[in-house]
Amino acid sequence: MGGSSSKGEGEEEAEEKEKEEKEDEEETEEDIAERIEAQQRKDEEEEGELPLGVDDLLNSGDPVLDLCYRKFKKLPCRVYRLLHLEKLYACGNRLRTLPDSISQVQGLRTLALDFNKMEDVPPAVCQLVNLTCLYMGSNRLVCLPPEVRNLQKLRCLWLESNYFQYFPRQLYDLPRLRSLQIGDNRMKTLPGDLVRMEALRGLWVYGNRFEEFPKVLLRMEGLEVLDLDRNKISNFPSLRRLPTLQLFSYDHNPVEGPPRVGEEVTLVGEGAAEAMQEREDKKERRRKAAEQEAEDRLALAEEEQRVIHGILKNSGSSPGRIASEGAFDGDAPPDGEEEQEAQEEEDEGSPDRGGMEYDAAGLEYDEEGVEYETEELICEGDGLEYEGEALEYERGQMDYEYEEEAEGTGTQNGGR
């Protein structure tokens, strides 16, 4: 019986323990909030008096909170209740981590934790899914946690002056990361699949241990800023295949001069100033040559216009000449012979020219009509001259009619 009693008591204890565990698992959000609040009250009691001015900052309601260089080992607990915060600067303190309660401040966009004593990225930081800028430089980091992949909106990450020996591949899964500062670490190379970071525009890898130029960088055509200062690279390839590159820094490497780059790239390093000045001089010479060429083309075009204008002006001042040139092109007699023949025909067909002189007043009276008929004769002559001998016959006939008309006009005027 005693054994049965002991067995029964053991089962009851096991059931009670299982029940407690189940209750713990079913802890509501309210329970969690109460637990966190209790922990915060305890922390507030332990932290004691805040440095001068900090209390005012916490009560200001400002979305930007600057707690840099305050010698904090732990941030004030009230910080984690400032749900309106968008930017938190806590650089230059003595922080080793951040509590889980930081994850409540989901409005944070910028978090600066430079110059602290952190050996790992706090897990709660990886739950701040709205972060766009994270500064973790000058700490004691050697790697990144897998949870950093949660920061899908991250655009700027600074990890300089830490202890990375290998490039953190977790960053491949951050599709919006544009600026990566990972200088002053201990890397000797970059992985060949770095090209997966297609959004990357600025890469700072100065102060590492590269002895050769990482060839993968030549395939990262979206780079705009590349900093390789203070490495051990003795030979740089041409960087002209990087079409968007705007700034390249190669200072403090064992090279005598800059590599070949595009004309718009700013260089920083040994011989950079001279190279850029020479490049500007060449651009200036090309510009002046292009201007001179344009001026020469303009002057030539103006000269051609003057020549054409002169030809047109001379041609337009003598319509008879144009007509005679057209006749000459059609194998008609030259101008002199044609005029001589016309004169002879006029002499033969008008023996009584004196009558026209006697009736000069009548001719003047009908001057407009006569000129009109003359124009018609010229126009008709253009077509008649092409006919050769027929031209002479018809022209003589036209002249005869002209004289008859003139005589008739004079007679009428005399009658009037």
Side-chain angles (χ1 to χ4, degrees), residues 4-22:
S4 299
S5 178
S6 299
K7 184 177 180 181
E9 290 177 359
E11 290 177 354
E12 289 177 0
E13 291 178 357
E15 291 176 358
E16 186 175 348
K17 184 176 181 181
E18 184 179 350
K19 184 178 180 180
E20 291 177 354
E21 291 176 353
K22 189 175 181 180

Side-chain angles (χ1 to χ4, degrees), residues 320-338:
R321 179 181 177 185
I322 296 175
S324 64
E325 289 177 356
F328 184 76
D329 292 340
D331 296 330
D335 293 344
E337 296 179 5
E338 184 179 349

Side-chain angles (χ1 to χ4, degrees), residues 232-334:
K232 299 179 181 179
I233 302 172
S234 58
N235 184 37
F236 285 94
S238 171
L239 302 182
R240 289 185 175 178
R241 66 182 70 182
L242 299 179
T244 60
L245 192 64
Q246 299 178 12
L247 187 147
F248 177 63
S249 181
Y250 62 95
D251 206 10
H252 301 99
N253 280 278
V255 292
E256 295 180 357
R260 292 163 51 185
V261 295
E263 291 189 353
E264 303 302 323
V265 179
T266 299
L267 294 168
V268 178
E270 183 71 25
E274 294 80 0
M276 288 190 291
Q277 184 60 50
E278 181 180 354
R279 186 175 64 190
E280 290 300 316
D281 293 343
K282 288 182 179 178
K283 289 171 64 176
E284 182 65 18
R285 288 195 294 270
R286 286 198 297 268
R287 185 187 65 79
K288 290 182 177 180
E291 289 180 354
Q292 184 62 45
E293 184 179 356
E295 291 177 1
D296 293 343
R297 286 200 300 267
L298 181 60
L300 180 60
E302 291 177 349
E303 181 63 25
E304 291 177 351
Q305 288 293 329
R306 283 195 294 270
V307 172
I308 293 172
H309 181 71
I311 293 173
L312 294 175
K313 183 176 180 181
N314 294 334
S315 300
S317 62
S318 178
R321 179 181 177 185
I322 296 175
S324 64
E325 289 177 356
F328 184 76
D329 292 340
D331 296 330

Side-chain angles (χ1 to χ4, degrees), residues 342-356 359 363 370 377 395-411:
Q343 184 64 35
E344 291 175 358
E345 291 175 358
E346 289 178 1
D347 294 340
E348 293 175 0
S350 50
D352 191 12
R353 295 178 63 87
M356 293 179 63
D359 293 330
L363 288 174
V370 173
L377 290 173
R395 174 172 289 210
Q397 185 178 11
M398 284 160 47
D399 292 339
Y400 176 75
E401 293 175 355
Y402 171 80
E403 291 172 357
E404 285 184 348
E405 180 181 358
E407 291 178 357
T409 305
T411 303

Side-chain angles (χ1 to χ4, degrees), residues 94-113:
R94 302 172 184 176
L95 304 175
R96 295 184 181 275
T97 188
L98 291 179
D100 293 343
S101 51
I102 186 66
S103 62
Q104 297 179 110
V105 193
Q106 283 296 315
L108 273 181
R109 302 290 186 272
T110 298
L111 178 59
L113 299 170

Side-chain angles (χ1 to χ4, degrees), residues 56 124 169 180 248:
D56 294 336
R169 282 185 162 88
L180 177 60
F248 177 63

